[in-house]
Amino acid sequence: MIAKGTNVSRLLTMATALEEYMDELDMAFPLLERALALQTDRDDDDDLIGSGRTWERMAQLRLRQGDLQEALDRYHCALDVQNEALGEHHPHVGMTLNNIANILAEEENADEALQYYQLAIDIQERTVGADHPETAASLLNMASMLQSQGHLAQAMHKSKRALKIFQKYLKEDHHYIMDTIINMATV
């Protein structure tokens, strides 16, 4: 049982320990739910932003458990909170859109995944820059989806863009560079 006066920070620390160090995913989830309840009970911008992060952590936890639909639902909750707290053109919104697109891609919902990837890329290009590694990661994800749909020229174009960005910022043997080269070789 969680003590009534337990603060959000303590709950999140406990959940992290359970997730990362003990691999006790089922035990971590109730702690995140309690943290979320505390965050949403308050009328504070920091708690609103924090609740967006908590929704993301809950989504990641469900993803690790293989529950794609629950993960998707929680990412959508995170997106709603982020749009409200940070605005729809914030880098965190772009990352969440990319995460949603990844799940949609895994569920083989290509058209919707491509729409989310494009939204993520648009936001990332405006906020962190067109040549930022986050933008490149979304480009590479989109390229993989395009390739699976048979849009090989578009896939190659996105992959080349991603590779150029990764090579600018990462070491030659970084797995993003290797993944991009492998992706391009299979197009």
Side-chain angles (χ1 to χ4, degrees):
M1 186 71 186
I2 301 166
K4 186 174 181 168
T6 304
N7 69 25
V8 172
S9 175
R10 178 95 174 114
L11 288 167
L12 293 175
T13 301
M14 289 166 38
T16 299
L18 287 167
E19 282 176 66
E20 295 178 8
Y21 305 115
M22 299 171 63
D23 206 28
E24 294 288 343
L25 304 180
D26 289 332
M27 291 175 62
F29 203 79
L31 296 174
L32 293 172
E33 288 177 324
R34 178 73 177 123
L36 184 62
L38 290 171
Q39 290 166 325
T40 55
D41 281 349
R42 301 177 188 164
D43 190 25
D44 181 310
D45 285 344
D46 288 339
D47 283 323
L48 184 60
I49 293 167
S51 70
R53 288 189 197 114
T54 303
W55 279 115
E56 284 182 314
R57 289 187 64 189
M58 293 168 81
Q60 292 161 358
L61 187 61
R62 288 302 187 215
L63 198 54
R64 285 180 62 190
Q65 293 174 317
D67 192 339
L68 297 180
Q69 188 56 53
E70 285 291 320
L72 187 60
D73 291 346
R74 281 164 177 74
Y75 273 127
H76 278 290
C77 290
L79 184 62
D80 291 343
V81 170
Q82 290 168 344
N83 280 330
E84 180 183 343
L86 304 169
E88 61 185 32
H89 300 291
H90 192 276
H92 288 301
V93 171
M95 288 174 27
T96 301
L97 289 167
N98 183 70
N99 290 335
I100 290 170
N102 287 339
I103 293 172
L104 292 169
E106 189 148 336
E107 291 182 334
E108 298 182 10
N109 189 342
D111 292 338
E112 197 172 357
L114 289 171
Q115 291 173 1
Y116 275 90
Y117 282 134
Q118 190 59 58
L119 288 170
I121 291 165
D122 291 345
I123 290 170
Q124 291 163 336
E125 287 177 339
R126 281 193 304 260
T127 57
V128 296
D131 69 339
H132 191 278
E134 279 182 26
T135 307
S138 293
L139 286 166
L140 183 57
N141 290 337
M142 187 175 200
S144 294
M145 177 54 60
L146 287 165
Q147 181 180 353
S148 74
Q149 296 298 301
H151 304 290
L152 303 183
Q154 290 175 301
M156 183 60 80
H157 173 73
K158 302 274 188 223
S159 294
K160 285 180 180 178
R161 250 188 89 195
L163 181 62
K164 184 177 177 182
I165 296 165
F166 288 142
Q167 287 175 326
K168 183 176 178 180
Y169 293 100
L170 305 173
K171 291 183 180 181
E172 184 177 301
D173 62 345
H174 193 280
H175 70 91
Y176 281 169
I177 292 175
M178 298 301 168
D179 290 348
T180 308
I181 291 169
I182 290 168
N183 195 49
M184 291 170 67
T186 61
V187 171

